Amino acid sequence: MSTGSGADSAPAPTPTLPASGGKASMFASLRVRNYRLFATGAVISNTGTWMARITQDWLVLSLTGSSAAVGVTTAMQFLPMLLFGLYGGVIADRFKRRNLLFCTQGAMSLSGLFLAVLTLSGHVQVWHVYAAAFFTGLVTVVDNPSRQSFVSELVGPDQVRNAVSLNSANFQSARLIGPAVASALTAAVGPGWAFLANGLSFLAPLTGLLLMRTSELHEIKRTPRGKGQLKEGLNYVSKHPELIWPIVLVGFVGTFGFNFPIWLSAFADDVFHGGVGQYGMFNTLMAIGSLAGALLAARRRSARLRVLVGAAIGFGVLEMLAAFAPGVWLFAPLVVILGVLGITTNVTANSSVQMATDPEMRGRVMSLYFMVFTGGTPLGGPLFGWLADEFGVRVSFMLGGLICAGAAVLVGLMLARAANLRLKVDLRRGERHVQFVPRESVPVAAVA
């Protein structure tokens, strides 16, 4: 989101982004004081967010008895990004991102406290949960591009790759802790206390933002207020194939390949008959793989586009193989590897897009990235849920992997074309290899 180091060499140039090759310290960005504050606050608030997600779904199910109502809650969270995602990028480029994060993190805290008060007082209704989910989605429209592009201000351009990877590791660590804490807390004292913990968890990132040394931030040129800034951002991306194609690829992966709540629950219930406990185990295995993939990605200094394409192809192929796993003994380890490849695809695409974007355009470009990546969730979920109901989860899972792998091959060919490379296959004994080489004898500039 495959996990090899960025130092892997090849006989001929391959598409890459400007950065020094070789391995970096896995935790290099943590040497920066401002980033340490940012990461510490994030792991606490991310844990609270995962607690709220699990508790929110359980609460809706207990209030309505309907799985469809749970689906509506998920759609309410992602719908604002699909509708308004691009506008969030314009805001992120126009204002100081640290100030924006004060507002967005504070708003998310209020949303959690809102549900906590209603639940603890016994007055919560399902429409309250829908409203809170939609409000959180609206805040995320601004929070996502602001938070992602703020990373470069914290660590500078040389450490962006490492910092993005550590952000993903941070999120996956919280994914391991949050659901377990939420389940225990809800069982012991009720869901309201889990919502309260989520609301209070945002005090950590707010404190971190307050304690940052603004003099140590890497200054980014702000975009002045003006007309046509949304169109300007889209035009900018359209002229840069090294931005277009990674964004296209994560769109396919997010829409067709990341429907794991549907697939893993169906495998646990309908295929392996392991029940909710097995479903929880699959989610834990996925989180372990994702955490490992994020930490390994943090060791690579360069965001090689061949790593992105290779990880996405491997991700799709592995989904097709896992779809027909005969037993849980094989399916479980494949889930771990899917977590590694999925996060490698996501991290590499994220950092490659950030590093290839001019700083003053980064907010708008990252808002497009997240709109494409998460905006497909309300579309892909119902589609692959219907396929699983009509034709079985194995067919649904296999088709998702097939589409992802096919899209990755197409994107790889388009990136090679943009870099003026051609595919060379040599099957001679002792020299067998498949690689992209320049079309001409003169060196070709890397895609950047």
Side-chain angles (χ1 to χ4, degrees):
M1 234 174 104
S2 359
T3 57
S5 94
D8 49 345
S9 59
T14 56
T16 187
L17 294 164
S20 57
K23 292 182 179 179
S25 169
M26 184 177 290
F27 303 102
S29 296
L30 292 176
R31 297 170 187 159
V32 180
R33 178 182 180 276
N34 283 344
Y35 182 78
R36 287 199 303 272
L37 291 170
F38 179 82
T40 302
V43 74
I44 295 172
S45 63
N46 284 337
T47 300
T49 298
W50 276 108
M51 291 176 64
R53 286 187 183 183
I54 298 298
T55 308
Q56 175 181 276
D57 291 345
W58 181 90
L59 178 61
V60 170
L61 192 62
S62 65
L63 289 172
T64 66
S66 169
S67 296
V70 177
V72 171
T73 309
T74 302
M76 295 295 281
Q77 280 188 262
F78 288 104
L79 190 60
M81 182 63 72
L82 182 62
L83 297 177
F84 311 115
L86 293 177
Y87 295 97
V90 173
I91 296 172
D93 282 337
R94 185 177 295 168
F95 300 98
K96 288 188 176 182
R97 287 152 191 167
R98 180 168 170 265
N99 294 342
L100 288 174
L101 289 173
F102 272 118
C103 297
T104 58
Q105 298 291 294
M108 289 183 180
S109 176
L110 292 176
S111 178
L113 294 175
F114 168 76
L115 281 180
V117 170
L118 289 174
T119 306
L120 290 172
S121 65
H123 293 93
V124 70
Q125 299 179 36
V126 69
W127 73 266
H128 295 141
V129 183
Y130 291 161
F134 188 78
F135 175 77
T136 301
L138 282 175
V139 175
T140 302
V141 167
V142 177
D143 183 77
N144 263 351
S146 300
R147 186 161 32 86
Q148 293 293 324
S149 50
F150 187 53
V151 168
S152 62
E153 296 185 38
L154 291 170
V155 301
D158 292 340
Q159 296 287 357
V160 167
R161 179 74 178 82
N162 178 261
V164 170
S165 300
L166 290 182
N167 284 352
S168 295
N170 186 317
F171 188 73
Q172 298 304 328
S173 299
R175 184 180 176 185
L176 287 172
I177 302 169
V181 174
S183 299
L185 195 60
T186 300
V189 293
W193 295 99
F195 288 131
L196 179 62
N198 175 48
L200 295 177
S201 72
F202 287 96
L203 293 176
L206 289 170
T207 302
L209 290 168
L210 279 172
L211 294 176
M212 286 180 185
R213 295 170 182 163
T214 56
S215 61
E216 296 178 7
L217 295 175
H218 295 256
E219 189 64 29
I220 300 295
K221 180 181 177 182
R222 302 296 161 199
T223 301
R225 185 180 181 89
K227 295 182 179 180
Q229 291 179 343
L230 184 59
K231 183 179 179 181
E232 182 185 6
L234 294 174
N235 288 339
Y236 178 86
V237 173
S238 70
K239 295 175 182 177
H240 293 78
E242 71 277 11
L243 298 178
I244 294 173
W245 294 111
I247 290 174
V248 168
L249 181 54
V250 298
F252 274 95
V253 171
T255 302
F256 301 106
F258 269 65
N259 298 292
F260 291 111
I262 295 168
W263 293 328
L264 296 183
S265 59
F267 266 95
D269 190 37
D270 301 331
V271 178
F272 300 132
H273 308 293
V276 67
Q278 193 174 78
Y279 175 52
M281 180 191 74
F282 288 156
N283 276 284
T284 299
L285 292 174
M286 178 71 69
I288 291 171
S290 298
L291 177 59
L295 290 174
L296 289 170
R299 293 179 62 84
R300 290 194 298 272
R301 293 193 180 189
S302 59
R304 292 180 179 270
L305 294 177
R306 68 179 180 188
V307 174
L308 168 62
V309 173
I313 292 174
F315 179 76
V317 170
L318 203 65
E319 284 194 340
M320 290 188 281
L321 293 176
F324 296 101
V328 70
W329 55 270
L330 179 59
F331 187 81
L334 291 178
V335 167
V336 177
I337 304 173
L338 279 171
V340 173
L341 294 177
I343 205 72
T344 300
T345 302
N346 193 1
V347 165
T348 307
N350 186 318
S351 55
S352 67
V353 168
Q354 286 208 50
M355 294 174 68
T357 303
D358 293 332
E360 62 270 20
M361 299 294 298
R362 193 165 285 147
R364 278 166 283 181
V365 173
M366 292 310 296
S367 68
L368 176 62
Y369 176 94
F370 279 103
M371 187 188 77
V372 171
F373 183 55
T374 63
T377 301
L379 306 175
L383 171 62
F384 283 92
W386 174 80
L387 287 171
D389 288 341
E390 292 295 320
F391 304 102
V393 64
R394 292 188 185 275
V395 172
S396 177
F397 203 7
M398 184 272 295
L399 286 175
L402 180 63
I403 294 172
C404 286
V409 170
L410 174 63
V411 167
L413 293 173
M414 297 307 295
L415 285 170
R417 181 180 179 183
N420 199 29
L421 302 176
R422 64 180 177 85
L423 184 65
K424 179 183 178 182
V425 180
D426 192 338
L427 299 179
R428 290 177 296 175
R429 179 174 295 182
E431 297 187 18
R432 294 189 178 96
H433 60 266
V434 178
Q435 64 182 15
F436 286 102
V437 298
R439 293 181 182 274
E440 302 172 357
S441 57
V442 296
V444 179
V447 175

